[in-house]
Amino acid sequence: AQSVTQLDSQVPVFEEAPVELRCNYSSSVSVYLFWYVQYPNQGLQLLLKYLSGSTLVKGINGFEAEFNKSQTSFHLRKPSVHISDTAEYFCAVTGSNDYKLSFGAGTTVTVRA
Amino acid sequence: DVKVTQSSRYLVKRTGEKVFLECVQDMDHENMFWYRQDPGLGLRLIYFSYDVKMKEKGDIPEGYSVSREKKERFSLILESASTNQTSMYLCASSSTGTPANYGYTFGSGTRLTVV
């Protein structure tokens, strides 16, 4: 079964600074990878996904992620964060022909002025 | 846009009560899921359903059951609520086949407190 590990539980960052959230996955077969964001008191919203093709994936709100098969990683980046990016971020994985997503423990990003 | 609606945002129940959490989606999705979210543990799958009247156990089904009598509605049932079931419950849906092509659409969550 696939699983993901989010390497940072909390990431404090200053406004307009870059941020990187790290995610490693564990699988020996083809995987599909996702990043979701959860704003306070809301459900999860899809940021971006990697299915195949280009290893650099662009998502909403200026986020992007890079799929690295040799390092089994799918790190999320944003070059310049805003206060409104304060949220919890989840990495998720599924395999082909699988109905289910497996989620990481989450990374809380706090953006300070 | 797909909407997934959970009937309650906040719920307080007593130990031993039977609790129903309701989830409705409006885009004819085949697959529906129930997760619970706890700090430091992420989202853990309780049950899922890929068709009407079909259900499969997820990673943590103990103490829960589900019902899917209609395609748009997926109910989570706590047969006898306990304090360790205090949590945020998230419902999600996805389209035919696998979620890989579409991702999940989540509801806003129900924060359940069992006292």
Side-chain angles (χ1 to χ4, degrees), chain B residues 36-62:
Chain B
R36 65 175 282 177
Q37 180 183 8
D38 300 288
L41 297 177
L43 279 70
R44 293 178 292 167
L45 182 63
I46 305 171
Y47 268 96
F48 65 102
S49 168
Y50 51 87
D51 202 352
V52 176
K53 297 191 184 294
M54 303 299 286
K55 61 185 178 184
E56 288 199 25
K57 294 180 180 179
D59 301 318
I60 51 164
E62 295 79 18

Side-chain angles (χ1 to χ4, degrees), chain A residues 32 34 36 38 41-44 46 49 51 88 90 94 96-106, chain B residues 9-10 31 33 35 37 40-43 45 48 50 90 97-104 106-108:
Chain A
Y32 304 113
F34 303 77
Y36 284 83
Q38 184 180 35
N41 299 314
Q42 294 187 27
L44 276 71
L46 181 65
K49 59 188 174 186
L51 304 180
E88 190 160 19
F90 292 93
T94 187
S96 56
N97 300 317
D98 193 350
Y99 294 113
K100 310 180 300 296
L101 291 179
S102 295
F103 289 83
Chain B
R9 291 297 306 272
Y10 300 94
N31 307 319
F33 309 83
Y35 286 84
Q37 180 183 8
L41 297 177
L43 279 70
L45 182 63
F48 65 102
Y50 51 87
L90 291 165
T98 77
N101 288 328
Y102 304 100
Y104 286 2
F106 280 89
S108 298

Side-chain angles (χ1 to χ4, degrees), chain B residues 29-30 49-55 68-73:
Chain B
H29 279 178
E30 289 75 16
S49 168
Y50 51 87
D51 202 352
V52 176
K53 297 191 184 294
M54 303 299 286
K55 61 185 178 184
R68 193 163 182 204
E69 296 296 318
K70 293 185 178 181
K71 191 174 186 179
E72 66 269 20
R73 186 179 297 270

